[in-house]
Amino acid sequence: MKLRRKKLKLKVYTIFISSSTSKPVTRFALPKFMLHSIPLFLITPFALLYYFYHLTEDLKEENLALSSNLSQQVSKTAALENVVETMEETTSQAQLKMKELEILETKIREYMLELPDYIDPRGGISLPFDNGQESHTDVEISSVNWESNELVEKYKETIAEMEDLNEELRFIPTAWPSKATRISSTFGGREDPFTNRSAFHTGIDLAAPWGTPVYAGADGTVIKAEYYGGYGKAIIIRHSSTYKTLYGHLSEIMVEVGDQVKKGDRIGSIGSTGRSTGPHLHYEIIKNGEPIDPFPYMDFFK
């Protein structure tokens, strides 16, 4: 017994189209599911259009927000770059000032080696104190250049004063006049070594071996460089209208009259020429025409 398959018949709509009575009728079949799908095909493009339209609007708003945020970030970056540039410039200026201060401080230390004892030791730079409510950062940024300039000016003033003092000291006989350190006879009353009578010693005697170097006590001009009576071979230097120095009993004279000498220059050698009992340097400081005790001047920086 054979089973017959039933053919699946599609449900269709038959559509007749007639243009006139003289022409045959046109007929075609349209499945029902296609007819039902027509509204879907019509609605889908509009739905997609609506969707993409709103998607585009959302993207536009998001893009605007991102652009605004980017602009803000660019502005912040530019502001930070300006701050960094300002800080770099400030730091660079501060470093230059610090280098200048280091140079000035070195000069001050050099001059301090020649300062007299009667100047009280002091230090530090006085700066005005503001008791306002500025923040620590604001004060640092706003005052660093002012403070460094103030420090430089203070240092320069100090150096100018020290230079003036140092210029004066150049012509005051404060240098020890020889490598000799043993004082064999002081300034003032003593017993004359030749007569054993009381006498007045007008200088100070420094005992040392023959040939020990002798140095100028200050800057000045040589006004005598020859054998000078009881002083033997002697040198006299005029330092100013106030001071002269005399170096006696030398074994060697290394300068001539008219020579310009600097404090500490070698001018001769210790000997025992003239009225002397042994090799030594007779050293005198003459102030306003009168001999004075040389030791306070020789010991000026000790």
Side-chain angles (χ1 to χ4, degrees):
M1 183 175 176
K2 292 184 179 179
L3 294 176
R4 293 183 179 179
R5 285 186 179 180
K6 292 183 178 180
K7 290 184 179 181
L8 182 61
K9 293 183 179 181
L10 294 175
K11 295 181 179 180
V12 297
Y13 290 103
T14 302
I15 299 173
F16 297 92
I17 299 174
S18 175
S19 58
S20 63
T21 54
S22 59
K23 291 184 178 180
V25 176
T26 302
R27 183 181 67 177
F28 61 90
L30 184 67
K32 285 186 176 181
F33 76 90
M34 290 186 64
L35 188 63
H36 293 159
S37 299
I38 289 176
L40 181 61
F41 285 112
L42 294 175
I43 293 172
T44 298
F46 290 102
L48 291 174
L49 182 62
Y50 178 81
Y51 170 75
F52 285 112
Y53 173 77
H54 282 279
L55 181 61
T56 303
E57 290 298 318
D58 291 341
L59 289 174
K60 282 183 180 179
E61 292 179 4
E62 186 176 354
N63 188 43
L64 287 174
L66 290 172
S67 297
S68 177
N69 186 44
L70 180 61
S71 298
Q72 292 177 2
Q73 294 299 324
V74 169
S75 298
K76 288 181 180 179
T77 301
L80 287 173
E81 287 177 352
N82 289 334
V83 171
V84 170
E85 185 177 349
T86 302
M87 292 300 293
E88 286 178 348
E89 183 178 353
T90 302
T91 302
S92 177
Q93 292 176 358
Q95 289 175 344
L96 290 175
K97 295 296 182 183
M98 287 304 296
K99 288 181 180 178
E100 187 174 359
L101 287 175
E102 288 176 4
I103 294 172
L104 293 173
E105 186 174 1
T106 301
K107 287 185 179 180
I108 285 180
R109 290 183 183 279
E110 291 174 356
Y111 286 126
M112 283 178 67
L113 297 176
E114 299 189 25
L115 283 178
D117 290 341
Y118 60 77
I119 296 179
D120 291 335
R122 299 177 183 176
I125 301 296
S126 299
L127 295 177
F129 176 74
D130 185 4
N131 198 24
Q133 300 299 320
E134 290 181 272
S135 69
H136 181 68
T137 303
D138 291 340
V139 171
E140 284 183 350
I141 294 175
S142 62
S143 65
V144 61
N145 285 330
W146 180 86
E147 288 183 0
S148 57
N149 286 330
E150 184 73 8
L151 285 171
V152 169
E153 291 305 316
K154 292 290 185 181
Y155 268 54
K156 285 182 176 178
E157 289 175 9
T158 302
I159 285 178
E161 293 173 0
M162 298 178 84
E163 283 179 341
D164 291 340
L165 179 59
N166 191 45
E167 184 67 19
E168 293 179 12
L169 288 173
R170 283 176 51 203
F171 300 97
I172 299 175
T174 56
W176 198 272
S178 175
K179 287 186 176 180
T181 58
R182 186 171 72 84
I183 298 175
S184 58
S185 183
T186 58
F187 176 84
R190 69 170 184 175
E191 186 178 277
D192 187 285
F194 290 94
T195 64
N196 293 324
R197 295 178 181 178
S198 296
F200 186 83
H201 189 220
T202 56
I204 193 170
D205 290 343
L206 297 173
W210 194 283
T212 300
V214 174
Y215 306 109
D219 290 14
T221 304
V222 177
I223 60 173
K224 184 179 287 292
E226 60 185 4
Y227 202 93
Y228 187 37
Y231 291 108
K233 290 182 179 180
I235 297 170
I236 297 179
I237 301 174
R238 178 187 291 116
H239 304 290
S240 65
S241 59
T242 303
Y243 292 101
K244 295 178 186 176
T245 51
L246 183 149
Y247 313 79
H249 309 303
L250 304 176
S251 63
E252 180 184 18
I253 294 174
M254 302 176 66
V255 292
E256 297 179 354
V257 173
D259 285 352
Q260 301 293 318
V261 295
K262 298 290 185 182
K263 180 181 290 190
D265 285 353
R266 184 173 181 179
I267 57 174
S269 303
I270 284 179
S272 187
T273 58
R275 194 169 182 268
S276 171
T277 60
H280 72 283
L281 170 67
H282 173 84
Y283 178 60
E284 287 186 21
I285 294 180
I286 303 163
K287 182 178 181 181
N288 295 321
E290 298 292 334
I292 61 173
D293 188 357
F295 185 75
Y297 287 80
M298 295 164 60
D299 203 45
F300 197 67
F301 296 111
K302 295 185 180 179

